[in-house]
Amino acid sequence: MLDKTRGLAVDCVAYDLEDSVTHGRKAEARHNIRQILQQPPPHGIRESAVRINGVHTAWVEDDLTAVLQASSLDTIIVPKVHRASDVCFVADIIRHHLPKRQSGDTAITGKPPIKLLVLIESAKALTELSAICKASAYISGLIFAAEDFAMDLSLTRTPSLTEFLFARSAIATACRAHDLPSTIDLVCTSYKGAEGQRRLEEECFDGKGLGFNGKQCIHPSQVDVVQKAFAPSQDELQWAVRIVTADLKANQHGRGAWTLDGQMIDAPVVGKAKNVIIRAEACSMDVASAKQRWKGQEPE
């Protein structure tokens, strides 16, 4: 099963040492994951991550000692984070094992520092979001773990996900406030058949509307739906390129606000358009063709 992941085309593959591994097979799982991450990184995977056991378990240090030896490891996913000190504990162990790499001097190591993705899955963590986000320079994002969060608050998950609205909004807002690039939404537990795909798509657009820029997948069949939903649409790309192209010309004439298709365009709208183009480029969309098509766009 681990070997099959190398054929995926995804932003991040997360290998698990926590909930999916029984107590008696933790050592075996560490060995298997280290072996897969000793191989050269596959072309289609941008980031290889490992979810370790929580900092309050007996396994966390053995997990880190094992996987930090792997040459293709990019990120550690830290579960059950309730406070900033939980993140600091993991960051300190990583610095102890990889002092040169964590120094950030890529000229010496040839690799960027190991990043941290933090799972938010409790009421305590939600109240400590700001401190958690500032706990380490290695944090690259937050992930919402809905099932553990529901257990902590004795919530029942419903298709509307309204019971998670406050938590999800808080997480997305915290990521943005602290300039964390990854804001990863909850797992969609439905993935089989047309109904599962429909619900997944609905959840993706719902999360995107709240400010998330990615979603956890639990099955390869979910990947295409998620990637399509979180990538800009062609209409969004064309709109963004028109805005940015016309704004350059408006600036040349000293116009800070102008119109396009009858709508007022000012700095916040231009900023949004630039972000759309950045995301489109990250998704390997044909931005160059769009720019060529709209190179003559003028501000109205």
Side-chain angles (χ1 to χ4, degrees):
M1 182 179 292
L2 293 179
D3 287 329
K4 290 181 180 179
T5 63
R6 295 179 58 80
L8 296 173
V10 293
D11 292 319
C12 177
V13 167
Y15 300 99
D16 191 31
L17 287 171
E18 198 205 14
D19 290 345
S20 67
V21 182
T22 60
H23 296 181
R25 304 192 71 177
K26 298 289 187 183
E28 178 186 356
R30 291 184 200 110
H31 172 78
N32 291 339
I33 290 173
R34 188 173 65 215
Q35 290 296 108
I36 201 79
L37 290 176
Q38 288 286 49
Q39 301 177 47
H43 175 72
I45 297 175
R46 297 184 182 183
E47 181 179 13
S48 294
V50 174
R51 180 171 72 163
I52 58 174
N53 287 279
V55 300
H56 304 292
T57 69
W59 305 296
V60 60
E61 293 187 52
D62 288 340
D63 290 348
L64 288 166
T65 299
V67 301
L68 290 174
Q69 300 175 39
S71 59
S72 294
L73 176 70
D74 300 304
T75 303
I76 293 292
I77 300 175
V78 191
K80 307 296 188 293
V81 169
H82 303 301
R83 56 188 63 84
S85 58
D86 296 338
V87 178
C88 294
F89 177 84
V90 175
D92 287 346
I93 293 178
I94 296 174
R95 273 198 302 268
H96 175 74
H97 283 275
L98 303 171
K100 291 183 179 179
R101 182 168 180 181
Q102 295 310 96
S103 72
D105 191 344
T106 56
I108 295 176
T109 64
K111 296 179 180 179
I114 299 289
K115 295 176 291 185
L116 300 176
L117 284 171
V118 174
L119 280 159
I120 302 299
E121 40 195 319
S122 69
K124 176 67 175 175
L126 207 64
T127 64
E128 298 286 333
L129 278 176
S130 182
I132 289 170
C133 289
K134 293 183 288 188
S136 171
Y138 306 135
I139 296 178
S140 66
L142 304 179
I143 306 172
F144 181 45
E147 301 308 318
D148 284 273
F149 186 83
M151 180 178 66
D152 188 46
L153 273 71
S154 298
L155 300 175
T156 299
R157 179 170 177 158
T158 64
S160 70
L161 304 178
T162 53
E163 61 278 1
F164 299 131
L165 179 59
F166 173 73
R168 294 165 77 204
S169 296
I171 290 167
T173 302
C175 276
R176 185 60 191 147
H178 293 88
D179 294 320
L180 302 181
S182 297
T183 314
I184 311 302
D185 202 9
L186 75 180
V187 164
C188 179
T189 54
S190 300
Y191 65 91
K192 292 185 178 180
E195 175 60 23
Q197 296 292 296
R198 183 193 64 79
R199 181 171 294 182
L200 173 62
E201 187 174 49
E202 286 181 356
E203 285 191 14
C204 287
F205 287 117
D206 180 52
K208 187 177 181 180
L210 290 174
F212 287 90
N213 58 18
K215 190 173 182 67
Q216 302 167 77
C217 297
I218 56 173
H219 192 274
S221 64
Q222 295 181 321
V223 172
D224 287 345
V225 175
V226 172
Q227 288 180 336
K228 182 178 179 181
F230 281 94
S233 67
Q234 279 297 328
D235 287 344
E236 287 178 302
L237 174 58
Q238 302 301 317
W239 169 85
V241 169
R242 292 180 68 201
I243 295 290
V244 171
T245 302
D247 185 63
L248 288 172
K249 298 176 182 179
N251 285 336
Q252 291 170 1
H253 293 89
R255 296 168 61 186
W258 42 279
T259 61
L260 184 70
D261 298 338
Q263 302 293 317
M264 189 188 80
I265 308 299
D266 58 6
V269 178
V270 175
K272 179 181 178 181
K274 290 179 178 178
N275 287 335
V276 169
I277 292 174
I278 290 171
R279 286 194 291 117
E281 289 172 338
C283 295
S284 301
M285 298 178 70
D286 190 358
V287 176
S289 292
K291 289 181 177 180
Q292 178 64 26
R293 177 183 178 186
W294 296 107
K295 64 181 181 181
Q297 180 68 56
E298 297 285 341
E300 295 172 359

